Amino acid sequence: MSQVAITALSAIATILLAGVFLRSSLSKARAISGFQRTLNQLGVPFALVSILAWVVVLTEFITASGLLLAPDARWPRVGAVLLAVSFGAAAAWAMVSHRRIACQCFGTSSSRLGNRHLMLMPAWIGLAGIGQIVPSEWSLINGLMIFAGVVYLLIVIELFRLRPIMREMRGYRVALAPAYVRPSAGAQGEGIGS
Amino acid sequence: MTTSVLLIITCGLAIVTFIMFGALLELYYQLKQVRLHLDLVDTPSPLSLGEFEGVTPSTVGLPSELDTAERNVVLVLSNKCQTCFTLAGEFAGQDLPEELWILVIPIFGGNADEFIDQFQLYHNRVLIDRDSRIAGQLGLDTTPAALIVSGGLLSTAQTVPSMRNLRAILSAEEIVFPIGRRGARELSQSDVGGRDHVRGARGDA
């Protein structure tokens, strides 16, 4: 594999990893109570739940920022591996103790901690490893631009998530309400929301 | 330096935007849950007109002007239900929409005049069904309800859970209930729990 391809792969791995942690941290920050509940269900003492939740959110955010703004530094990848291991351990603990614990990995979500999260752990570590083989090198300005680009990409993803739920809400109303055919509408069944 | 500052501001704004969109998404999910739990909110139910479907309104005691109406809506309100008060409040001291009539049914010995005074429904298209004769004939046992007169004939009837729904009825040309709901059954006591029942009520003096 050529040096250019390896460098590109490393950059993609770094940006992907940073994107995941960025989305995870911002989503958790938005719905912190859900993540606190998850920590509590995992057995974290009530007094520490609030602090630990914010520590995780900040660690994820700093790790993601480090990956993008200091791509040649080692510490962000170490942070990413530590986070991946701790999430894997939490999933393993939930499975071993037969607890049904909502993940809340990206804010509120209905998925439960389990196999899937355990299997993703090597993937995160792998991405960090690829980034470490040939650390990407770009300036702080470029890093900030990539950071902004990643966040805007996350916004686009949110918009795509928003679209079906808005359509569902509209459909829900149409399904429950009779179809009110407006005078301008010709065909039967054509009414509100159609 | 300036570029870095601008980029940092851009990143900050992007983060705020992301959080805002996320909050909007959460809001929609919560709204979905609320709607699922409160199925009755804003959900109209069809009411059966029985043998009176397709007859002229004057047959059941409604004014004969309705017999020649192309499309009118008779909003049936009682003086005891909260939603009726909300709907009446929307028209307090105002002109009624051209195609709207209001039929007030005084129940449980209540006084329809008090209701009309309270909401200043002084209009010649506001009627009082003092002895519940009209409601009794139609078998109307829930308020607020809407009787839709189309082409001078009583065509359909439905509950009116909200002002939004009433506006939709008024601006509609035709009402088509989803398959399986139209005329499926007479509403029983349990079906209309939480609403006022007017069947068998005695009018005020």
Side-chain angles (χ1 to χ4, degrees), chain A residues 36-73:
Chain A
Q36 287 172 344
R37 202 161 44 246
T38 299
L39 290 176
N40 193 239
Q41 287 172 329
L42 281 167
V44 175
F46 187 73
L48 293 175
V49 159
S50 184
I51 296 165
L52 191 61
W54 283 110
V55 165
V56 172
V57 168
L58 279 176
T59 308
E60 283 182 326
F61 186 77
I62 291 167
T63 301
S65 304
L67 284 166
L68 294 174
L69 303 178
D72 52 345

Side-chain angles (χ1 to χ4, degrees), chain B residues 110-197:
Chain B
N111 191 331
D113 296 321
E114 273 178 19
F115 182 84
I116 286 169
D117 288 341
Q118 186 178 347
F119 296 105
Q120 301 164 49
L121 298 172
Y122 308 126
H123 201 285
N124 57 5
R125 275 186 276 125
V126 175
L127 317 164
I128 301 175
D129 188 17
R130 289 196 191 280
D131 52 3
S132 297
R133 189 168 54 90
I134 300 170
Q137 275 200 82
L138 292 170
L140 211 58
D141 60 1
T142 181
T143 56
L147 306 171
I148 290 95
V149 180
S150 189
L153 303 171
L154 281 172
S155 60
T156 49
Q158 67 160 85
T159 59
V160 184
S162 66
M163 192 59 205
R164 187 205 72 82
N165 187 251
L166 180 63
R167 286 198 194 99
I169 298 169
L170 289 171
S171 61
E173 187 178 64
E174 185 184 349
I175 300 175
V176 185
F177 280 96
I179 295 166
R181 296 186 71 205
R182 173 77 180 89
R185 57 187 159 67
E186 293 272 350
L187 288 179
S188 66
Q189 188 90 359
S190 58
D191 287 323
V192 291
R195 297 184 192 282
D196 288 358
H197 298 262

